[in-house]
Amino acid sequence: MRPPVTELDIPTADEGFYKGFTKIVAISGKFLVAVLIIWALLPAASLTFGPAAEGPASVFVDADGNYSAAASVVLGAVNSVILASFNYWYVYVMAFFVILCLVLALWPASGQLKLGLEDDEPEFTNFSWFSMMFGAGIGIGMLTFATAEPMYHWASNPATIQGINEGSTAGNVREAYVWSFTHWGLAAWSSYAIVGLALAYFSYRRSLPLTIRSALVPLFGRSAMEGFFGHVVDIVAVVATVLGVSQTLGFGVEQFISGLTRIGFGDWLQQTGADGTVRASAAGIVVALIVIMGASTLSALSGVGKGIKWLSNINMGLSFFILAFFLIFGSTFFGLQALFVGIFDYLVSIPGNILTVWASDGVEGSEASQLAGWQGGWTIFYWAWWIAFAPFVGVFLARISKGRTVREYVLGAMIVPATMCFVWFAIVGGTAIDLELNGDAAGAIVNTGQSDQLFAMLAVMLSDSLAWIMSVIVVILLLTYLVTSADSAVLIINTINAAGDEGPKARPHIVFWGAALALVVGGLIVAGGLGAIQTAMVIGALPFSLVMVLMGFSLLKAVVNDGRRSRRGLASTHDEIAAE
């Protein structure tokens, strides 16, 4: 057998503004993101066409031939095609990630392999490792959806659509948690874990650069990954990262603004639409993004070992405090029952839920169409979100996981965070459902928007002064989670652009990507609300999902071949090859 590739010469600039960066990746990524920002912010009255066009151009004009400027309209049209045509792909891809992670962890030959050399030890303690992983991976979404998602599925889910259960009743609680745990459980974290595992394996065992293309070397060879194809892979990863992180930041910004309004910063932060829905105002979005992205840029400049590490530890401490509060003062028995029964129901449901695809029969209002619409709006959306978020979280997980075994990594990056999500959803979301079931909330929680439901629940549970104090703590936790996610994303984007260089990056590039994330989030929210970000993210996730599948097969091939090398006494790590 030939020895594995331990060198990947990715061309980077030797001087100038892009010194240390792969110019084609860095410039292309910036250009594509800039185009998205300009498109989203383009004024509605800036362009007109003549007569209403036919074909693809007609998407851009209204009945009077005027340019709609609604990026969300175009994104929505493309998104509908993707959800209808690639639903099977998304479902089976996520099932593949779950199975592959479990096989690599449980297979003795691969589980004991170290992500590094034999004498490498983990850089971070278990607590810091888990804190950074959880904060970057899912902390923001958990604060928003720990209350909102169980409440929604309690009212509507496939069982209610099929007439099996009645929504918003005690008999529908178990089904609500099956789907909440499905969306935030093993599938979500397996998509992160597979990217991080592949990158850590090739970077720390074979000394390849810590960038997405390195994980495809066993499949396509060194020359392809050093050239144009490798550049395309990294560009796709950068764009997917920007869109995936923007989705997460978008949810966080909306909830952050709701929290600021609750603690008395003024009603100007929000506005009420003609349909009565409350959403963040343009001024509120600008203020929130200036605070969040300013702090995250400063943290990114300090690096992973300083700002990000300390912020992550603060995140975890505050998270445990809030969780302890709900365990003591919330609906403890109801929540614990939801947790243990929900985990059992979820585990039993896994084979069916992660492989079932509901297809529309084309009849509006039919059961098949409703089920397909529900799955597209929830499950497929989540699978796309996790995939778009995976290059960012995966590179970050690889960066902080050197020295751990494959089994330790998978358990830490897949099982433990999923369990933490289950606890939050059961205790916090369970308290909200119980307050509505027993009549104490009287609709105060269920009738408010998802970004405000956590604060509404605190207002129901506590006196005005105590609710204000707890809301302040939640707002602080939101801010630290937002900053952690944003600054980690900036560092990861620069790492990919710099051909895997983990060292300090030029300050102007850090500032650029901090500003770019703020503009993407703000621009898409202003253009079409969170829906515009969601549809852009689903579109951006599709090409990267193919890259991730190839990474999974590449990793499996490398592990099998390294096992064959070990049995023949051949070198399989870069230090062994160098010694020969």
Side-chain angles (χ1 to χ4, degrees):
M1 295 184 66
R2 290 182 297 177
V5 175
T6 56
E7 293 183 7
L8 196 62
D9 185 17
I10 303 173
T12 57
D14 296 325
E15 57 184 4
F17 182 72
Y18 285 97
K19 181 180 180 180
F21 287 83
T22 304
K23 292 179 69 173
I24 187 172
V25 176
I27 295 174
S28 298
K30 289 179 179 179
F31 173 76
L32 291 173
V33 171
V35 168
L36 177 62
I37 294 170
I38 294 170
W39 180 40
L41 294 177
L42 202 62
S46 63
L47 291 175
T48 60
F49 291 89
E54 295 183 1
S58 63
V59 174
F60 297 88
V61 296
D62 60 22
D64 298 322
N66 295 319
Y67 180 72
S68 68
S72 58
V73 172
V74 184
L75 292 172
V78 179
N79 181 61
S80 298
V81 173
I82 289 177
L83 292 181
S85 304
F86 292 91
N87 51 348
Y88 286 93
W89 168 259
Y90 276 120
V91 168
Y92 294 145
V93 158
M94 294 299 283
F96 168 69
F97 296 150
V98 172
I99 294 169
L100 182 58
C101 282
L102 294 177
V103 166
L104 290 175
L106 299 176
W107 184 17
S110 60
Q112 62 188 2
L113 291 175
K114 181 173 283 191
L115 301 177
L117 308 179
E118 286 302 317
D119 56 351
D120 284 339
E121 295 296 329
E123 178 181 356
F124 302 100
T125 65
N126 286 338
F127 182 80
S128 292
W129 179 56
F130 177 66
S131 298
M132 286 189 286
M133 173 175 56
F134 192 78
I138 220 152
I140 299 170
M142 181 192 64
L143 280 176
T144 300
F145 286 98
T147 307
E149 181 148 358
M151 291 288 291
Y152 183 92
H153 295 324
W154 176 53
S156 176
N157 58 58
T160 63
I161 294 173
Q162 294 169 312
I164 300 172
N165 292 341
E166 183 181 351
S168 302
T169 63
N172 201 36
V173 173
R174 291 178 67 170
E175 195 70 17
Y177 276 99
V178 166
W179 288 107
S180 297
F181 289 179
T182 295
H183 294 152
W184 294 78
L186 300 182
W189 289 93
S190 68
S191 63
Y192 302 158
I194 202 66
V195 175
L197 184 58
L199 293 176
Y201 192 91
F202 293 112
S203 293
Y204 302 134
R205 289 182 63 84
R206 299 190 177 177
S207 195
L208 297 180
L210 187 63
T211 188
I212 303 297
R213 70 175 78 188
S214 295
L216 300 182
V217 170
L219 288 184
F220 299 101
R222 177 178 174 179
S223 60
M225 290 299 102
E226 290 177 344
F228 177 77
F229 185 54
H231 299 330
V232 171
V233 168
D234 281 348
I235 292 169
V236 168
V238 168
V239 175
T241 298
V242 171
L243 293 174
V245 173
S246 296
Q247 172 68 60
T248 302
L249 294 179
F251 282 125
V253 165
E254 289 272 2
Q255 191 173 26
F256 182 65
I257 291 173
S258 293
L260 291 178
T261 304
R262 285 273 181 176
I263 63 179
F265 275 77
D267 295 335
W268 59 273
L269 292 167
Q270 295 180 318
Q271 62 186 19
T272 302
D275 59 353
T277 58
V278 177
R279 56 179 293 184
S281 66
I285 293 169
V286 170
V287 170
L289 288 174
I290 288 175
V291 172
I292 294 164
M293 300 312 300
S296 65
T297 301
L298 292 175
S299 178
L301 290 169
S302 69
V304 174
K306 296 179 181 178
I308 296 176
K309 174 184 175 181
W310 287 107
L311 277 173
S312 297
N313 288 341
I314 293 172
N315 291 344
M316 195 52 56
L318 287 176
S319 296
F320 280 128
F321 172 79
I322 294 174
L323 191 59
F325 166 81
F326 278 101
L327 273 170
I328 296 171
F329 299 104
S331 302
T332 306
F333 177 76
F334 187 96
L336 290 176
Q337 184 180 34
L339 174 64
F340 292 111
V341 175
I343 289 177
F344 172 79
D345 289 343
Y346 163 64
L347 293 176
V348 171
S349 75
I350 285 178
N353 282 356
I354 67 171
L355 293 173
T356 297
V357 181
W358 283 299
S360 174
D361 59 5
V363 179
E364 185 176 354
S366 68
E367 182 179 297
S369 295
Q370 291 183 61
L371 288 171
W374 184 92
Q375 188 175 44
W378 283 97
T379 306
I380 305 301
F381 160 70
Y382 272 126
W383 291 174
W385 186 7
W386 305 149
I387 288 170
F389 214 44
F392 153 54
V393 181
V395 175
F396 189 74
L397 287 180
R399 167 64 183 83
I400 63 177
S401 300
K402 183 178 182 180
R404 299 184 183 273
T405 65
V406 170
R407 183 173 296 113
E408 181 184 10
Y409 170 89
V410 171
L411 291 175
M414 185 175 169
I415 308 297
V416 176
T419 304
M420 184 69 172
C421 287
F422 296 163
V423 173
W424 264 84
F425 274 63
I427 302 301
V428 180
T431 297
I433 292 176
D434 189 45
L435 290 172
E436 290 288 357
L437 271 174
N438 63 31
D440 290 345
I445 304 172
V446 73
N447 291 328
T448 191
Q450 66 179 25
S451 64
D452 196 42
Q453 286 185 334
L454 178 57
F455 299 107
M457 178 168 54
L458 292 172
V460 170
M461 294 172 58
L462 306 171
S463 65
D464 290 345
S465 57
L466 288 177
W468 184 86
I469 292 172
M470 285 301 300
S471 295
V472 169
I473 295 173
V474 172
V475 168
I476 293 172
L477 178 57
L478 263 172
L479 179 60
T480 55
Y481 269 136
L482 284 163
V483 171
T484 304
S485 294
D487 60 11
S488 301
V490 169
L491 287 178
I492 295 312
I493 290 170
N494 271 325
T495 297
I496 297 172
N497 287 335
D501 178 17
E502 302 174 53
K505 307 299 186 300
R507 290 174 181 266
H509 297 283
I510 291 177
V511 173
F512 172 86
W513 285 111
L517 282 174
L519 288 171
V520 170
V521 174
L524 288 176
I525 289 178
V526 170
L530 285 176
I533 300 180
Q534 292 169 7
T535 52
M537 178 271 301
V538 170
I539 295 167
L542 185 60
F544 192 71
S545 66
L546 175 60
V547 174
M548 288 177 61
V549 170
L550 294 174
M551 292 175 75
F553 282 114
S554 181
L555 175 63
L556 189 60
K557 178 181 178 181
V559 170
V560 170
N561 284 342
D562 280 354
R564 294 170 60 196
R565 291 187 181 98
S566 296
R567 289 192 295 271
R568 300 182 186 187
L570 301 176
S572 61
T573 60
H574 66 88
D575 66 323
E576 294 171 343
I577 293 173
E580 291 181 350

